[in-house]
Amino acid sequence: MSNLFSGPGPDAVFAAALAEGRFMLQQCDDCKKHVFYPRVLCPHCGSPKLAWQPASGQGTVYSTTVVRRKPEQGGDYNVALVDLHEGPRMMSRVDGLSPHEVVIGMAVRAKIIDEPKKGKLLVFMPAQGGVA
Amino acid sequence: MKATDLRGKTAIVGVGLGGLPSAPNRSSMEIQTEAVHRALADAGLKPGDVDGLFTGSSHAFMPALSTAEYLGIRPKISDTTMIGGSSFIGHLLPAAMALQYGLCDVALICYGSNQGSGFGKLKSMSEPQTYEAPYDPRHPITSYALAAARHMHQFGTRREDLAEVAVAARRWAQLNPLAFARDDLTIEQVMAARMVNDPLSTLDCCLVTDGGGALVLVRSERAKDFPRPPVYMLGTAMAHWHRQISSMPDLTVTAAAESGPRAFAMAGLTPADVDVVELYDAFTINTILFLEDLGFCAKGEGGAFVRNGRIAPGGNLPVNTNGGGLSCCHPGMYGTFLLIEAVQQLRGEAGARQVDNTHIALCHGNGGVLSSQVTALLGDASTL
Ligand SMILES: [Zn+2]
């Protein structure tokens, strides 16, 4: 249990882990719920006792859209909301298939990639074995 | 002391629009001030009579200071609560409280923007969201597209239903000489429009226009001293559950499901009592979500509800009678225009788009990405 009111804050801890290729989630010691995005207080119960754990990386697409973009600017891309196995939802992108083929309910797994100009980026890939 | 004590205690005695349908080479402050001048003239007042100021802006960091200085007024109380486009309906609450407690005697709610002519696209002071920005969502349409996609998946809502909302708004706009977009529009045209963020096309999106709106409020005991028929605030309630779309608990249920029932409770009314409905239609999905959340139909049935022109002129439920943000105007933040259209309908001065026998109007404001929700019920003197 780290002291969340001193030292690098949860935003910095998350970013540092991601830069090392690790996807970390917080879990509340008091109500046991997982928390994303990283915070210094649990939004479910108000507790400051949030501990870091490796995320399972498993998730399900909750909603998805194709952002239309001209081919010369890089073409269409996906933006999705992914419900993590642990509970929290996050915005991300599903790679490994056409942005038009991403569907709600699709099982996905996290992958940390090197994105040009952005560094490490947490995206999702279709999980083996189909629907969650 | 309870919330229902505010029912009927505040009266809108002046309204004014500015900069419609467009105002090239005019600043946001100039457009806002045109609306303020018209609202004060409507109430038979001068700027110096205003002693409570409630405003918001996409262009000024301290909008109350800028507005008061420009008008040459010295407010005793100002409030610039910023919860997005719903702010100005939200301002009904602090304005009503300030009037009730004698902190001011004449409250002014106002907004103006030259986004259509000045920028040509949506301008926002909104800061990027740390955990969404890396995925390049287009603000705000990506968020609304995600909500629309989820609603379609969960309830079988169709793109045709979204298009029906756009067509109904256009048909109302064709009855409003101040509306920006008045060309004929069909469901087929909306369906064939360029896709921006699936499932939303260009014609599922609100306009980007110039425009300003202003309202003058007083304590109801003085309302009959003013030249125009007063419109009374019967109930207002605010709710917000998230800031960014990834934090919205259920993308098919907005906080209107909370603000609506609280506003109805304050007013002592139900959806069946409402004669005209003004909903913040930043995107076509909004109208469907708010009709459901406010209790005009069951959750999931909004798509079927709007079919066959039900919310268009001549339909069962008049919705967005000025043409809405989709076809009348949308200068960045639309809240004042919802209230002004309701007041014009309740006064019976809405011209070709006037809905007969209008005594109760519902205005619903939305801010952020389905984030803040504010519901207000307004009524004429027969509702007190
Ligand atoms: Zn907790």
Side-chain angles (χ1 to χ4, degrees), chain A residues 11 37-38 62-66 68 77 79 89 91 104 118 121-122, chain B residues 131 134-136 138 146 150 153 195-198 244 248-251:
Chain A
D11 278 339
Y37 49 89
Y62 174 77
S63 193
T64 179
T65 182
V66 181
R68 301 297 184 105
Y77 61 96
V79 174
R89 179 176 301 154
M91 182 174 281
I104 294 173
K118 286 184 185 165
L121 185 69
L122 180 62
Chain B
Y131 293 92
Y135 305 101
D136 297 323
R138 291 215 184 119
L146 289 164
R150 184 71 200 181
H153 169 82
M195 191 59 78
V196 183
N197 268 214
D198 299 59
Q244 53 194 324
M248 185 170 178
D250 177 342
L251 266 67

PDB file of all heavy atoms in Angstrom, chain A residues 11 37-38 62-66 68 77 79 89 91 104 118 121-122, chain B residues 131 134-136 138 146 150 153 195-198 244 248-251:
ATOM      1  N   ASP A  11      -1.167   9.363 -11.635  1.00  0.00           N
ATOM      2  CA  ASP A  11      -0.997   9.600 -13.082  1.00  0.00           C
ATOM      3  C   ASP A  11       0.436   9.259 -13.502  1.00  0.00           C
ATOM      4  O   ASP A  11       0.661   8.598 -14.525  1.00  0.00           O
ATOM      5  CB  ASP A  11      -1.271  11.069 -13.436  1.00  0.00           C
ATOM      6  CG  ASP A  11      -2.754  11.373 -13.604  1.00  0.00           C
ATOM      7  OD1 ASP A  11      -3.540  10.440 -13.845  1.00  0.00           O
ATOM      8  OD2 ASP A  11      -3.113  12.564 -13.498  1.00  0.00           O
ATOM      9  N   TYR A  37      -9.856   5.815 -14.513  1.00  0.00           N
ATOM     10  CA  TYR A  37      -8.468   6.197 -14.561  1.00  0.00           C
ATOM     11  C   TYR A  37      -7.855   6.297 -13.170  1.00  0.00           C
ATOM     12  O   TYR A  37      -8.596   6.366 -12.192  1.00  0.00           O
ATOM     13  CB  TYR A  37      -8.305   7.540 -15.316  1.00  0.00           C
ATOM     14  CG  TYR A  37      -9.241   8.615 -14.837  1.00  0.00           C
ATOM     15  CD1 TYR A  37      -8.861   9.469 -13.794  1.00  0.00           C
ATOM     16  CD2 TYR A  37     -10.529   8.749 -15.367  1.00  0.00           C
ATOM     17  CE1 TYR A  37      -9.718  10.460 -13.348  1.00  0.00           C
ATOM     18  CE2 TYR A  37     -11.379   9.732 -14.913  1.00  0.00           C
ATOM     19  CZ  TYR A  37     -10.967  10.579 -13.900  1.00  0.00           C
ATOM     20  OH  TYR A  37     -11.831  11.532 -13.432  1.00  0.00           O
ATOM     21  N   PRO A  38      -6.526   6.349 -13.082  1.00  0.00           N
ATOM     22  CA  PRO A  38      -5.871   6.362 -11.771  1.00  0.00           C
ATOM     23  C   PRO A  38      -6.247   7.588 -10.945  1.00  0.00           C
ATOM     24  O   PRO A  38      -6.364   8.681 -11.457  1.00  0.00           O
ATOM     25  CB  PRO A  38      -4.380   6.399 -12.137  1.00  0.00           C
ATOM     26  CG  PRO A  38      -4.307   5.889 -13.536  1.00  0.00           C
ATOM     27  CD  PRO A  38      -5.574   6.333 -14.205  1.00  0.00           C
ATOM     28  N   TYR A  62     -17.482  -2.313 -25.373  1.00  0.00           N
ATOM     29  CA  TYR A  62     -18.776  -1.805 -24.899  1.00  0.00           C
ATOM     30  C   TYR A  62     -19.441  -0.946 -25.969  1.00  0.00           C
ATOM     31  O   TYR A  62     -20.649  -0.983 -26.153  1.00  0.00           O
ATOM     32  CB  TYR A  62     -18.585  -1.002 -23.615  1.00  0.00           C
ATOM     33  CG  TYR A  62     -19.847  -0.326 -23.137  1.00  0.00           C
ATOM     34  CD1 TYR A  62     -20.850  -1.055 -22.498  1.00  0.00           C
ATOM     35  CD2 TYR A  62     -20.044   1.045 -23.327  1.00  0.00           C
ATOM     36  CE1 TYR A  62     -22.016  -0.443 -22.073  1.00  0.00           C
ATOM     37  CE2 TYR A  62     -21.211   1.661 -22.901  1.00  0.00           C
ATOM     38  CZ  TYR A  62     -22.198   0.917 -22.275  1.00  0.00           C
ATOM     39  OH  TYR A  62     -23.355   1.528 -21.855  1.00  0.00           O
ATOM     40  N   SER A  63     -18.624  -0.142 -26.665  1.00  0.00           N
ATOM     41  CA  SER A  63     -19.140   0.575 -27.829  1.00  0.00           C
ATOM     42  C   SER A  63     -17.975   0.903 -28.751  1.00  0.00           C
ATOM     43  O   SER A  63     -16.809   0.854 -28.342  1.00  0.00           O
ATOM     44  CB  SER A  63     -19.897   1.839 -27.441  1.00  0.00           C
ATOM     45  OG  SER A  63     -20.609   2.323 -28.568  1.00  0.00           O
ATOM     46  N   THR A  64     -18.294   1.217 -29.998  1.00  0.00           N
ATOM     47  CA  THR A  64     -17.243   1.420 -30.986  1.00  0.00           C
ATOM     48  C   THR A  64     -17.718   2.390 -32.055  1.00  0.00           C
ATOM     49  O   THR A  64     -18.914   2.454 -32.365  1.00  0.00           O
ATOM     50  CB  THR A  64     -16.844   0.070 -31.621  1.00  0.00           C
ATOM     51  OG1 THR A  64     -15.821   0.296 -32.599  1.00  0.00           O
ATOM     52  CG2 THR A  64     -18.030  -0.612 -32.288  1.00  0.00           C
ATOM     53  N   THR A  65     -16.768   3.153 -32.609  1.00  0.00           N
ATOM     54  CA  THR A  65     -17.078   4.036 -33.729  1.00  0.00           C
ATOM     55  C   THR A  65     -15.889   4.068 -34.673  1.00  0.00           C
ATOM     56  O   THR A  65     -14.756   3.774 -34.261  1.00  0.00           O
ATOM     57  CB  THR A  65     -17.435   5.456 -33.264  1.00  0.00           C
ATOM     58  OG1 THR A  65     -17.787   6.267 -34.401  1.00  0.00           O
ATOM     59  CG2 THR A  65     -16.274   6.127 -32.545  1.00  0.00           C
ATOM     60  N   VAL A  66     -16.180   4.383 -35.925  1.00  0.00           N
ATOM     61  CA  VAL A  66     -15.121   4.610 -36.901  1.00  0.00           C
ATOM     62  C   VAL A  66     -15.014   6.116 -37.115  1.00  0.00           C
ATOM     63  O   VAL A  66     -15.990   6.750 -37.521  1.00  0.00           O
ATOM     64  CB  VAL A  66     -15.420   3.922 -38.248  1.00  0.00           C
ATOM     65  CG1 VAL A  66     -14.266   4.163 -39.221  1.00  0.00           C
ATOM     66  CG2 VAL A  66     -15.654   2.443 -38.036  1.00  0.00           C
ATOM     67  N   ARG A  68     -14.027   8.807 -39.354  1.00  0.00           N
ATOM     68  CA  ARG A  68     -13.727   8.877 -40.783  1.00  0.00           C
ATOM     69  C   ARG A  68     -12.649   9.937 -41.019  1.00  0.00           C
ATOM     70  O   ARG A  68     -12.746  11.059 -40.511  1.00  0.00           O
ATOM     71  CB  ARG A  68     -14.994   9.197 -41.574  1.00  0.00           C
ATOM     72  CG  ARG A  68     -16.100   8.183 -41.379  1.00  0.00           C
ATOM     73  CD  ARG A  68     -15.706   6.797 -41.875  1.00  0.00           C
ATOM     74  NE  ARG A  68     -16.838   5.875 -41.765  1.00  0.00           N
ATOM     75  CZ  ARG A  68     -17.558   5.477 -42.815  1.00  0.00           C
ATOM     76  NH1 ARG A  68     -17.261   5.879 -44.039  1.00  0.00           N
ATOM     77  NH2 ARG A  68     -18.567   4.638 -42.640  1.00  0.00           N
ATOM     78  N   TYR A  77     -10.077   5.369 -38.664  1.00  0.00           N
ATOM     79  CA  TYR A  77      -9.538   4.657 -37.499  1.00  0.00           C
ATOM     80  C   TYR A  77     -10.637   4.409 -36.477  1.00  0.00           C
ATOM     81  O   TYR A  77     -11.692   5.030 -36.501  1.00  0.00           O
ATOM     82  CB  TYR A  77      -8.350   5.388 -36.883  1.00  0.00           C
ATOM     83  CG  TYR A  77      -8.622   6.779 -36.363  1.00  0.00           C
ATOM     84  CD1 TYR A  77      -8.910   7.006 -35.013  1.00  0.00           C
ATOM     85  CD2 TYR A  77      -8.573   7.880 -37.212  1.00  0.00           C
ATOM     86  CE1 TYR A  77      -9.144   8.285 -34.533  1.00  0.00           C
ATOM     87  CE2 TYR A  77      -8.813   9.164 -36.743  1.00  0.00           C
ATOM     88  CZ  TYR A  77      -9.095   9.360 -35.398  1.00  0.00           C
ATOM     89  OH  TYR A  77      -9.325  10.628 -34.927  1.00  0.00           O
ATOM     90  N   VAL A  79     -12.210   4.099 -32.620  1.00  0.00           N
ATOM     91  CA  VAL A  79     -12.195   4.483 -31.208  1.00  0.00           C
ATOM     92  C   VAL A  79     -13.240   3.609 -30.522  1.00  0.00           C
ATOM     93  O   VAL A  79     -14.374   3.502 -31.004  1.00  0.00           O
ATOM     94  CB  VAL A  79     -12.522   5.975 -30.993  1.00  0.00           C
ATOM     95  CG1 VAL A  79     -12.646   6.288 -29.506  1.00  0.00           C
ATOM     96  CG2 VAL A  79     -11.447   6.856 -31.635  1.00  0.00           C
ATOM     97  N   ARG A  89     -14.156   0.836 -17.180  1.00  0.00           N
ATOM     98  CA  ARG A  89     -14.243   1.045 -18.627  1.00  0.00           C
ATOM     99  C   ARG A  89     -13.168   2.047 -19.027  1.00  0.00           C
ATOM    100  O   ARG A  89     -12.852   2.963 -18.276  1.00  0.00           O
ATOM    101  CB  ARG A  89     -15.625   1.598 -18.975  1.00  0.00           C
ATOM    102  CG  ARG A  89     -15.846   1.878 -20.457  1.00  0.00           C
ATOM    103  CD  ARG A  89     -17.283   2.327 -20.703  1.00  0.00           C
ATOM    104  NE  ARG A  89     -18.200   1.281 -20.253  1.00  0.00           N
ATOM    105  CZ  ARG A  89     -19.445   1.501 -19.860  1.00  0.00           C
ATOM    106  NH1 ARG A  89     -19.938   2.718 -19.863  1.00  0.00           N
ATOM    107  NH2 ARG A  89     -20.201   0.489 -19.460  1.00  0.00           N
ATOM    108  N   MET A  91     -11.404   4.270 -22.655  1.00  0.00           N
ATOM    109  CA  MET A  91     -11.354   4.513 -24.087  1.00  0.00           C
ATOM    110  C   MET A  91     -10.085   3.909 -24.630  1.00  0.00           C
ATOM    111  O   MET A  91      -9.024   3.980 -24.004  1.00  0.00           O
ATOM    112  CB  MET A  91     -11.388   6.008 -24.397  1.00  0.00           C
ATOM    113  CG  MET A  91     -11.393   6.311 -25.901  1.00  0.00           C
ATOM    114  SD  MET A  91     -11.615   8.059 -26.272  1.00  0.00           S
ATOM    115  CE  MET A  91     -13.389   8.221 -26.050  1.00  0.00           C
ATOM    116  N   ILE A 104     -19.524  -4.320 -31.072  1.00  0.00           N
ATOM    117  CA  ILE A 104     -19.874  -4.356 -29.654  1.00  0.00           C
ATOM    118  C   ILE A 104     -19.986  -5.807 -29.206  1.00  0.00           C
ATOM    119  O   ILE A 104     -20.551  -6.641 -29.908  1.00  0.00           O
ATOM    120  CB  ILE A 104     -21.181  -3.581 -29.415  1.00  0.00           C
ATOM    121  CG1 ILE A 104     -20.967  -2.087 -29.706  1.00  0.00           C
ATOM    122  CG2 ILE A 104     -21.701  -3.800 -27.990  1.00  0.00           C
ATOM    123  CD1 ILE A 104     -22.226  -1.238 -29.663  1.00  0.00           C
ATOM    124  N   LYS A 118       3.843   9.212 -30.204  1.00  0.00           N
ATOM    125  CA  LYS A 118       3.147   9.148 -28.916  1.00  0.00           C
ATOM    126  C   LYS A 118       3.859   8.266 -27.907  1.00  0.00           C
ATOM    127  O   LYS A 118       3.548   8.321 -26.720  1.00  0.00           O
ATOM    128  CB  LYS A 118       1.727   8.583 -29.110  1.00  0.00           C
ATOM    129  CG  LYS A 118       0.777   9.571 -29.754  1.00  0.00           C
ATOM    130  CD  LYS A 118      -0.604   8.992 -29.816  1.00  0.00           C
ATOM    131  CE  LYS A 118      -1.511   9.940 -30.573  1.00  0.00           C
ATOM    132  NZ  LYS A 118      -2.749   9.300 -30.977  1.00  0.00           N
ATOM    133  N   LEU A 121       1.495   3.058 -26.216  1.00  0.00           N
ATOM    134  CA  LEU A 121       0.053   3.267 -26.259  1.00  0.00           C
ATOM    135  C   LEU A 121      -0.631   1.946 -25.957  1.00  0.00           C
ATOM    136  O   LEU A 121      -0.266   0.899 -26.499  1.00  0.00           O
ATOM    137  CB  LEU A 121      -0.374   3.783 -27.639  1.00  0.00           C
ATOM    138  CG  LEU A 121      -1.845   4.165 -27.784  1.00  0.00           C
ATOM    139  CD1 LEU A 121      -2.171   5.408 -26.964  1.00  0.00           C
ATOM    140  CD2 LEU A 121      -2.197   4.401 -29.255  1.00  0.00           C
ATOM    141  N   LEU A 122      -1.633   2.006 -25.073  1.00  0.00           N
ATOM    142  CA  LEU A 122      -2.392   0.813 -24.706  1.00  0.00           C
ATOM    143  C   LEU A 122      -3.546   0.648 -25.684  1.00  0.00           C
ATOM    144  O   LEU A 122      -4.447   1.473 -25.727  1.00  0.00           O
ATOM    145  CB  LEU A 122      -2.916   0.982 -23.275  1.00  0.00           C
ATOM    146  CG  LEU A 122      -3.734  -0.159 -22.693  1.00  0.00           C
ATOM    147  CD1 LEU A 122      -2.915  -1.435 -22.604  1.00  0.00           C
ATOM    148  CD2 LEU A 122      -4.250   0.232 -21.326  1.00  0.00           C
TER     149      LEU A 122
ATOM    150  N   TYR B 131      -6.793  10.537 -20.415  1.00  0.00           N
ATOM    151  CA  TYR B 131      -6.884   9.108 -20.722  1.00  0.00           C
ATOM    152  C   TYR B 131      -7.729   8.808 -21.963  1.00  0.00           C
ATOM    153  O   TYR B 131      -7.893   7.659 -22.329  1.00  0.00           O
ATOM    154  CB  TYR B 131      -7.375   8.335 -19.488  1.00  0.00           C
ATOM    155  CG  TYR B 131      -6.325   8.385 -18.394  1.00  0.00           C
ATOM    156  CD1 TYR B 131      -6.347   9.380 -17.424  1.00  0.00           C
ATOM    157  CD2 TYR B 131      -5.257   7.496 -18.405  1.00  0.00           C
ATOM    158  CE1 TYR B 131      -5.346   9.470 -16.461  1.00  0.00           C
ATOM    159  CE2 TYR B 131      -4.258   7.568 -17.451  1.00  0.00           C
ATOM    160  CZ  TYR B 131      -4.298   8.558 -16.485  1.00  0.00           C
ATOM    161  OH  TYR B 131      -3.297   8.635 -15.554  1.00  0.00           O
ATOM    162  N   PRO B 134      -5.095  10.214 -26.119  1.00  0.00           N
ATOM    163  CA  PRO B 134      -4.162   9.427 -26.944  1.00  0.00           C
ATOM    164  C   PRO B 134      -4.834   8.676 -28.095  1.00  0.00           C
ATOM    165  O   PRO B 134      -4.157   8.267 -29.038  1.00  0.00           O
ATOM    166  CB  PRO B 134      -3.552   8.437 -25.946  1.00  0.00           C
ATOM    167  CG  PRO B 134      -3.702   9.080 -24.620  1.00  0.00           C
ATOM    168  CD  PRO B 134      -4.997   9.854 -24.697  1.00  0.00           C
ATOM    169  N   TYR B 135      -6.159   8.500 -28.022  1.00  0.00           N
ATOM    170  CA  TYR B 135      -6.863   7.737 -29.062  1.00  0.00           C
ATOM    171  C   TYR B 135      -7.509   8.645 -30.110  1.00  0.00           C
ATOM    172  O   TYR B 135      -8.252   8.163 -30.969  1.00  0.00           O
ATOM    173  CB  TYR B 135      -7.881   6.792 -28.398  1.00  0.00           C
ATOM    174  CG  TYR B 135      -7.177   5.911 -27.385  1.00  0.00           C
ATOM    175  CD1 TYR B 135      -7.243   6.196 -26.024  1.00  0.00           C
ATOM    176  CD2 TYR B 135      -6.369   4.861 -27.803  1.00  0.00           C
ATOM    177  CE1 TYR B 135      -6.543   5.439 -25.099  1.00  0.00           C
ATOM    178  CE2 TYR B 135      -5.669   4.092 -26.888  1.00  0.00           C
ATOM    179  CZ  TYR B 135      -5.753   4.381 -25.541  1.00  0.00           C
ATOM    180  OH  TYR B 135      -5.051   3.634 -24.630  1.00  0.00           O
ATOM    181  N   ASP B 136      -7.247   9.944 -29.998  1.00  0.00           N
ATOM    182  CA  ASP B 136      -7.707  10.929 -30.988  1.00  0.00           C
ATOM    183  C   ASP B 136      -9.208  10.930 -31.223  1.00  0.00           C
ATOM    184  O   ASP B 136      -9.661  10.974 -32.376  1.00  0.00           O
ATOM    185  CB  ASP B 136      -6.978  10.723 -32.333  1.00  0.00           C
ATOM    186  CG  ASP B 136      -5.481  10.945 -32.204  1.00  0.00           C
ATOM    187  OD1 ASP B 136      -5.095  11.858 -31.446  1.00  0.00           O
ATOM    188  OD2 ASP B 136      -4.705  10.194 -32.835  1.00  0.00           O
ATOM    189  N   ARG B 138     -12.622  12.668 -31.825  1.00  0.00           N
ATOM    190  CA  ARG B 138     -12.963  14.027 -32.263  1.00  0.00           C
ATOM    191  C   ARG B 138     -13.956  14.585 -31.258  1.00  0.00           C
ATOM    192  O   ARG B 138     -14.994  13.978 -31.007  1.00  0.00           O
ATOM    193  CB  ARG B 138     -13.568  14.013 -33.660  1.00  0.00           C
ATOM    194  CG  ARG B 138     -12.550  13.642 -34.694  1.00  0.00           C
ATOM    195  CD  ARG B 138     -12.757  14.359 -36.010  1.00  0.00           C
ATOM    196  NE  ARG B 138     -11.786  13.863 -36.965  1.00  0.00           N
ATOM    197  CZ  ARG B 138     -12.113  13.248 -38.112  1.00  0.00           C
ATOM    198  NH1 ARG B 138     -13.375  13.113 -38.451  1.00  0.00           N
ATOM    199  NH2 ARG B 138     -11.171  12.821 -38.909  1.00  0.00           N
ATOM    200  N   LEU B 146     -20.397   7.084 -30.008  1.00  0.00           N
ATOM    201  CA  LEU B 146     -20.309   5.892 -29.156  1.00  0.00           C
ATOM    202  C   LEU B 146     -21.641   5.642 -28.444  1.00  0.00           C
ATOM    203  O   LEU B 146     -22.086   4.490 -28.309  1.00  0.00           O
ATOM    204  CB  LEU B 146     -19.172   6.040 -28.145  1.00  0.00           C
ATOM    205  CG  LEU B 146     -17.755   5.956 -28.748  1.00  0.00           C
ATOM    206  CD1 LEU B 146     -16.715   6.508 -27.765  1.00  0.00           C
ATOM    207  CD2 LEU B 146     -17.409   4.512 -29.132  1.00  0.00           C
ATOM    208  N   ARG B 150     -24.135   2.394 -29.170  1.00  0.00           N
ATOM    209  CA  ARG B 150     -24.576   1.530 -28.074  1.00  0.00           C
ATOM    210  C   ARG B 150     -26.110   1.441 -28.023  1.00  0.00           C
ATOM    211  O   ARG B 150     -26.671   0.362 -27.805  1.00  0.00           O
ATOM    212  CB  ARG B 150     -24.024   2.056 -26.744  1.00  0.00           C
ATOM    213  CG  ARG B 150     -24.338   1.181 -25.536  1.00  0.00           C
ATOM    214  CD  ARG B 150     -23.565  -0.123 -25.546  1.00  0.00           C
ATOM    215  NE  ARG B 150     -24.195  -1.121 -24.683  1.00  0.00           N
ATOM    216  CZ  ARG B 150     -23.722  -2.350 -24.483  1.00  0.00           C
ATOM    217  NH1 ARG B 150     -22.604  -2.746 -25.081  1.00  0.00           N
ATOM    218  NH2 ARG B 150     -24.352  -3.191 -23.712  1.00  0.00           N
ATOM    219  N   HIS B 153     -27.239  -0.830 -30.740  1.00  0.00           N
ATOM    220  CA  HIS B 153     -26.925  -2.226 -30.419  1.00  0.00           C
ATOM    221  C   HIS B 153     -27.911  -2.784 -29.382  1.00  0.00           C
ATOM    222  O   HIS B 153     -28.411  -3.905 -29.523  1.00  0.00           O
ATOM    223  CB  HIS B 153     -25.501  -2.304 -29.861  1.00  0.00           C
ATOM    224  CG  HIS B 153     -25.155  -3.625 -29.246  1.00  0.00           C
ATOM    225  ND1 HIS B 153     -24.751  -4.714 -29.995  1.00  0.00           N
ATOM    226  CD2 HIS B 153     -25.168  -4.047 -27.953  1.00  0.00           C
ATOM    227  CE1 HIS B 153     -24.524  -5.742 -29.193  1.00  0.00           C
ATOM    228  NE2 HIS B 153     -24.766  -5.368 -27.954  1.00  0.00           N
ATOM    229  N   MET B 195     -20.526  10.282 -43.863  1.00  0.00           N
ATOM    230  CA  MET B 195     -20.343   9.743 -42.519  1.00  0.00           C
ATOM    231  C   MET B 195     -19.162  10.457 -41.865  1.00  0.00           C
ATOM    232  O   MET B 195     -18.132  10.669 -42.486  1.00  0.00           O
ATOM    233  CB  MET B 195     -20.089   8.238 -42.612  1.00  0.00           C
ATOM    234  CG  MET B 195     -20.152   7.520 -41.286  1.00  0.00           C
ATOM    235  SD  MET B 195     -21.729   7.691 -40.444  1.00  0.00           S
ATOM    236  CE  MET B 195     -22.732   6.513 -41.342  1.00  0.00           C
ATOM    237  N   VAL B 196     -19.341  10.839 -40.584  1.00  0.00           N
ATOM    238  CA  VAL B 196     -18.267  11.527 -39.853  1.00  0.00           C
ATOM    239  C   VAL B 196     -17.670  10.588 -38.804  1.00  0.00           C
ATOM    240  O   VAL B 196     -16.470  10.333 -38.779  1.00  0.00           O
ATOM    241  CB  VAL B 196     -18.782  12.818 -39.193  1.00  0.00           C
ATOM    242  CG1 VAL B 196     -17.627  13.554 -38.505  1.00  0.00           C
ATOM    243  CG2 VAL B 196     -19.444  13.721 -40.234  1.00  0.00           C
ATOM    244  N   ASN B 197     -18.521  10.131 -37.908  1.00  0.00           N
ATOM    245  CA  ASN B 197     -18.162   9.109 -36.903  1.00  0.00           C
ATOM    246  C   ASN B 197     -19.333   8.141 -36.882  1.00  0.00           C
ATOM    247  O   ASN B 197     -20.430   8.515 -36.435  1.00  0.00           O
ATOM    248  CB  ASN B 197     -18.018   9.734 -35.506  1.00  0.00           C
ATOM    249  CG  ASN B 197     -16.618  10.183 -35.159  1.00  0.00           C
ATOM    250  OD1 ASN B 197     -16.178  10.124 -34.009  1.00  0.00           O
ATOM    251  ND2 ASN B 197     -15.893  10.683 -36.147  1.00  0.00           N
ATOM    252  N   ASP B 198     -19.131   6.943 -37.358  1.00  0.00           N
ATOM    253  CA  ASP B 198     -20.250   5.991 -37.439  1.00  0.00           C
ATOM    254  C   ASP B 198     -20.933   5.862 -36.075  1.00  0.00           C
ATOM    255  O   ASP B 198     -20.224   5.682 -35.083  1.00  0.00           O
ATOM    256  CB  ASP B 198     -19.739   4.602 -37.858  1.00  0.00           C
ATOM    257  CG  ASP B 198     -19.084   4.629 -39.233  1.00  0.00           C
ATOM    258  OD1 ASP B 198     -18.094   5.373 -39.405  1.00  0.00           O
ATOM    259  OD2 ASP B 198     -19.566   3.902 -40.117  1.00  0.00           O
ATOM    260  N   GLN B 244     -16.146  12.910 -19.013  1.00  0.00           N
ATOM    261  CA  GLN B 244     -15.728  12.341 -20.290  1.00  0.00           C
ATOM    262  C   GLN B 244     -16.525  11.059 -20.554  1.00  0.00           C
ATOM    263  O   GLN B 244     -16.968  10.391 -19.624  1.00  0.00           O
ATOM    264  CB  GLN B 244     -14.230  12.058 -20.289  1.00  0.00           C
ATOM    265  CG  GLN B 244     -13.763  11.216 -19.105  1.00  0.00           C
ATOM    266  CD  GLN B 244     -12.261  11.217 -18.935  1.00  0.00           C
ATOM    267  OE1 GLN B 244     -11.530  11.230 -19.901  1.00  0.00           O
ATOM    268  NE2 GLN B 244     -11.808  11.197 -17.690  1.00  0.00           N
ATOM    269  N   MET B 248     -18.939   7.668 -18.364  1.00  0.00           N
ATOM    270  CA  MET B 248     -20.403   7.629 -18.294  1.00  0.00           C
ATOM    271  C   MET B 248     -20.844   6.214 -17.934  1.00  0.00           C
ATOM    272  O   MET B 248     -20.459   5.258 -18.598  1.00  0.00           O
ATOM    273  CB  MET B 248     -20.994   8.039 -19.643  1.00  0.00           C
ATOM    274  CG  MET B 248     -22.516   8.146 -19.649  1.00  0.00           C
ATOM    275  SD  MET B 248     -23.095   8.909 -21.198  1.00  0.00           S
ATOM    276  CE  MET B 248     -24.879   8.852 -20.931  1.00  0.00           C
ATOM    277  N   PRO B 249     -21.624   6.061 -16.845  1.00  0.00           N
ATOM    278  CA  PRO B 249     -21.926   4.707 -16.367  1.00  0.00           C
ATOM    279  C   PRO B 249     -22.618   3.834 -17.415  1.00  0.00           C
ATOM    280  O   PRO B 249     -22.260   2.677 -17.593  1.00  0.00           O
ATOM    281  CB  PRO B 249     -22.850   4.957 -15.170  1.00  0.00           C
ATOM    282  CG  PRO B 249     -22.568   6.361 -14.739  1.00  0.00           C
ATOM    283  CD  PRO B 249     -22.184   7.113 -15.977  1.00  0.00           C
ATOM    284  N   ASP B 250     -23.626   4.366 -18.093  1.00  0.00           N
ATOM    285  CA  ASP B 250     -24.391   3.611 -19.094  1.00  0.00           C
ATOM    286  C   ASP B 250     -24.659   4.579 -20.233  1.00  0.00           C
ATOM    287  O   ASP B 250     -25.347   5.587 -20.041  1.00  0.00           O
ATOM    288  CB  ASP B 250     -25.701   3.114 -18.454  1.00  0.00           C
ATOM    289  CG  ASP B 250     -26.607   2.363 -19.438  1.00  0.00           C
ATOM    290  OD1 ASP B 250     -26.415   2.494 -20.670  1.00  0.00           O
ATOM    291  OD2 ASP B 250     -27.520   1.656 -18.960  1.00  0.00           O
ATOM    292  N   LEU B 251     -24.109   4.317 -21.411  1.00  0.00           N
ATOM    293  CA  LEU B 251     -24.206   5.289 -22.505  1.00  0.00           C
ATOM    294  C   LEU B 251     -25.616   5.444 -23.057  1.00  0.00           C
ATOM    295  O   LEU B 251     -25.869   6.306 -23.888  1.00  0.00           O
ATOM    296  CB  LEU B 251     -23.237   4.932 -23.645  1.00  0.00           C
ATOM    297  CG  LEU B 251     -21.879   5.644 -23.554  1.00  0.00           C
ATOM    298  CD1 LEU B 251     -21.081   5.191 -22.356  1.00  0.00           C
ATOM    299  CD2 LEU B 251     -21.089   5.506 -24.836  1.00  0.00           C
TER     300      LEU B 251
END
